[in-house]
Amino acid sequence: MDLAFSDAELAFRDEVRAWIADNLPDGWGRPGFREPQTFEEKLEFAKGWERKLAAAGWAGISWPKEYGGRGATLMEQVVFHQEMARARAPMISVNFVGINLAGPTIMAHGSEDQKQRYLPKILTLEELWCQGFSEPNAGSDLAGLQTRAELRGNTFVVNGQKVWTSYAHAADWCLLLCRTDPDAPKHKGLSYLLVDMHSPGIEPRPLKQITGEAEFNEVFFTDVEVPREQLLGGLNQGWTYANTTLANERGPAFLAHQIRFRNRLEDVIAMAKRVERDGVPLSKHPAFRDRLAKAYADLEVMRVIGYRTVTSILRHGRPGVEGSIAKLYWSEMVRRMELLALQMEGEAGILDGDDAIDDGKWQRGFLSSFAQTIAAGTSEIQKNIISERVLGMPRGERWAPKERVS
Ligand SMILES: Cc1cc2nc3c(=O)[nH]c(=O)nc-3n(C[C@H](O)[C@H](O)[C@H](O)COP(=O)(O)OP(=O)(O)OC[C@H]3O[C@@H](n4cnc5c(N)ncnc54)[C@H](O)[C@@H]3O)c2cc1C
């Protein structure tokens, strides 16, 4: 494990750092900056910021040059994401599915026509994508999905329902995993369609989350016609391609999470210095001082797990089981840290909006922290993987998925 950056990587870091300093949205991070509030405001803000990144060639940093990307090395990608985190640059991403999931999957399995048609508009944000995988009865056990696509002549006719589809109500295209052979074993009867979200018969219904926001949706498909040329790869081969998508769910951006969480802990510590309990600031209160120190130690452990993950990707081209260890560790750690922040507020923790400390950012942080332990493979699934592959324990009776493993 070599933890030092090379001279070239340091020069690259300076270039990224200078670009971010010159290009952060006006007023971003300064007192009085009004963060976007509604979904529409967030969408517009994110599009503006991500277009700026795209124009400078940062959006496709991980894409090969032949597809319009920057073709950066893994270490350059790590440096880029670390610098973004260090500068506390905006994190809202409406183009995540396009850049990280759709792009790499189409590059790996799409026809030349599909590559020409779809890839350029992902990079420029002209078209947004969503991921139509999960269903009410298929999440961890994804291969059990039931949405049907029947091939009639040269057209697939799709009927069924997806759920938790992030940004579906804003998306132009969908990566749709669906069943094309109901009689085949469940992994073998799936196909992968690229579906125009503006087709007749598609109805996204936003789902309101516990935070009050509505970023994901139920999506209903009723007799939706999809031309055969929008089939990715071969018929009934969708499971293979879905694994390419899932392997990209946790791109190198997560390697900078440690810095974002450290920023967050710095904010928690700043609050601990301001807020008093029993006549002393929380930073000096024995009950909280102890837990703040533990949160700091947790973050240091996460940093080391991050180094191991990078080393594993450099050696083997993929994070392997280190990816599961890292995902389980950081998502549970974030929940502990957000809980600590909320508990530091004491009774004020039940307030919201203008009445709450820091405009309710700690309440929102706590509520949204639950999502991290579910998305891209739940904590239980990560534990199953670790128990089998690291500890060599026997498979459980209901051992289902390799599905959500990167
Ligand atoms: C913020 C967020 C965004 C998302 N965006 C998308 C999206 O854009 N597109 C999309 O397709 N999906 C999306 N998802 C859905 C996500 O992929 C699923 O929620 C996830 O795979 C879990 O599936 P599930 O919700 O059906 O839960 P289930 O799989 O039904 O699990 C329910 C519970 O049972 C446990 N469990 C299940 N199987 C096992 C087992 N074998 N052993 C032990 N415990 C088990 C789980 O850990 C969990 O606690 C998103 C989810 C979140 C939280």
Side-chain angles (χ1 to χ4, degrees), residues 133-166:
F133 280 24
S134 306
E135 296 184 2
N137 291 314
S140 304
D141 185 14
L142 182 59
L145 63 84
Q146 293 302 327
T147 292
R148 280 292 315 272
E150 232 180 289
L151 188 56
R152 296 186 198 153
N154 266 335
T155 304
F156 289 97
V157 179
V158 180
N159 282 285
Q161 186 201 338
K162 296 290 171 181
V163 74
W164 315 127
T165 325
S166 303

